[in-house]
Amino acid sequence: MLFGALEAGGTKMVLSIGNEKNEILERASIPTRGPEETIREMNEWFAARGISALGIGTFGPVELSEGSPKYGWITTTPKLEWIDTPLLPAMRGALGVPALIDTDVNAAALAEYELGAARGLRSCFYVTVGTGVGAGLVVEGNLVHGMMHPEFGHVLLRQEEDDPTPDGFCPYHKGCLEGLANGPAIEKRWGRSAKELPEDHPAWDLEARYLAQMCIAAICTVSPEKIILGGGVMQQKHLFPRIRAAVRERRNGYIATPQILEEIDNYIVEPGLGTASGAMGALLLARRAMQR
Ligand code: ADP
Ligand code: ZN
């Protein structure tokens, strides 16, 4: 039995075919153009491969309340052409197979929970730090959303005193997590792409402190059993020890669990599935759609 997995992004759509052993057998990537032509092209690709179910991890915001008439629609996205696009219905209808949709980061969190760094635990908090910042949360096997889905990238942080651009760059909130710590914020603050900044540049110490504030916010709200940090910016592996050190320093003795005091190297970690979490998560969503 074959399953379709779609990672729907603002710049590209990554399409995968997987099987019941969670093996990815085939992949393709197409640029994200207007919704009509992009969805048509994706439907043709999946239809030609005879999938039995489809899972979608998508950019958002996306309506995830199953009772809503807009369930599975992309809603108020900054990607204007895609506002109010019935992504899930348009694919499920054309392909005639069961389908499930969730956020890209919830899909990645699910994959890490089932198969990756949080395997065997009760909860998993997955953050991507890239063009945006977003987080997904799985608790006891459930992907967490309620009124909407988490928009963790827009939690407000405290400005660091040595930040040369402390106002931040989010068009909605200026100094929220995303506005202070995403890849574009690093570039605007220092006038150079994050990829080009050397390891000893002050950018990274500052970035680590913002990401430590982020981890502390996660610890103090949902207290996940594992925090997994992925995305382009986290390719800078030297950020991990800096973030862990800043979390320890700033928890200020208050959160005194073994995970923080003794095993923080094993608590704030890289994705166990590397860059495959997104595709694997969409595949697991397809399998869940089938089981229903
Ligand atoms: P997206 O978030 O668009 O899906 P990425 O997770 O790759 O894609 O994030 C892209 C952002 O991450 C860009 O702002 C880029 O500057 C930054 N980035 C990508 N690779 C690296 C790297 N190796 N080091 C530092 N920053 C990076
Ligand atoms: Zn914001």
Side-chain angles (χ1 to χ4, degrees):
M1 195 178 288
L2 297 178
F3 299 99
L6 167 61
E7 300 169 80
T11 52
K12 65 178 194 284
M13 298 286 179
V14 180
L15 296 71
S16 307
I17 301 292
N19 64 15
E20 283 156 301
K21 290 190 224 154
N22 297 322
E23 293 162 337
I24 302 283
L25 307 172
E26 190 181 352
R27 304 196 80 175
S29 172
I30 63 170
T32 304
R33 287 163 289 137
E36 229 169 272
E37 53 177 328
T38 310
I39 291 173
R40 191 184 326 116
E41 196 180 337
M42 295 193 295
N43 283 340
E44 284 168 9
W45 194 89
F46 282 120
R49 283 154 182 84
I51 58 171
S52 299
L54 175 70
I56 306 173
T58 183
F59 67 98
V62 52
E63 177 59 61
L64 297 175
S65 301
E66 294 198 39
S68 163
K70 287 193 171 182
Y71 172 66
W73 290 41
I74 305 283
T75 56
T76 54
T77 175
K79 214 168 155 58
L80 299 179
E81 272 187 291
W82 282 77
I83 290 176
D84 279 335
T85 297
L87 178 61
L88 177 77
M91 296 192 74
R92 188 174 49 193
L95 293 165
V97 296
L100 270 178
I101 190 167
D102 216 300
T103 61
D104 44 9
V105 275
N106 258 356
L110 177 63
E112 289 293 327
Y113 174 87
E114 299 265 350
L115 307 167
R119 204 176 38 206
L121 301 179
R122 286 178 302 167
S123 60
C124 169
F125 194 83
Y126 177 95
V127 190
T128 180
V129 187
T131 307
V133 180
L137 174 63
V138 176
V139 180
E140 314 265 354
N142 295 306
L143 298 136
V144 174
H145 23 80
M147 178 188 74
M148 55 181 303
H149 45 75
E151 283 283 355
F152 195 64
H154 298 279
V155 294
L156 303 180
L157 300 186
R158 185 194 288 172
Q159 297 160 344
E160 295 288 332
E161 280 171 11
D162 57 344
D163 185 345
T165 54
D167 285 346
F169 304 99
C170 174
Y172 300 96
H173 324 107
K174 294 189 171 173
C176 63
L177 167 56
E178 197 169 284
L180 290 168
N182 66 2
I186 299 173
E187 181 164 349
K188 286 182 194 141
R189 179 181 292 124
W190 303 104
R192 272 162 85 181
S193 156
K195 283 184 203 173
E196 292 166 13
L197 291 167
E199 275 186 34
D200 59 359
H201 193 282
W204 297 120
D205 183 60
L206 182 63
E207 179 72 8
R209 281 179 278 136
Y210 281 132
L211 296 180
Q213 285 196 45
M214 168 187 90
C215 291
I216 290 169
I219 291 166
C220 294
T221 50
V222 295
S223 198
E225 290 195 349
K226 192 79 88 174
I227 296 178
I228 299 171
L229 307 181
V233 172
M234 296 312 302
Q235 296 302 313
Q236 303 283 332
K237 304 292 181 207
H238 56 91
L239 279 173
F240 281 93
R242 297 183 206 226
I243 293 167
R244 293 173 187 133
V247 166
R248 274 190 167 166
E249 185 191 313
R250 291 182 176 209
R251 88 199 147 80
N252 212 9
Y254 188 73
I255 297 160
T257 60
Q259 288 93 329
I260 302 291
L261 294 179
E262 291 150 32
E263 298 154 22
I264 198 164
D265 291 356
N266 196 28
Y267 179 66
I268 297 173
V269 299
E270 293 174 38
L273 302 172
T275 54
S277 321
M280 204 55 83
L283 178 60
L284 292 171
L285 287 173
R287 299 192 54 185
R288 283 188 171 199
M290 191 73 203
Q291 280 159 13
R292 285 183 170 199

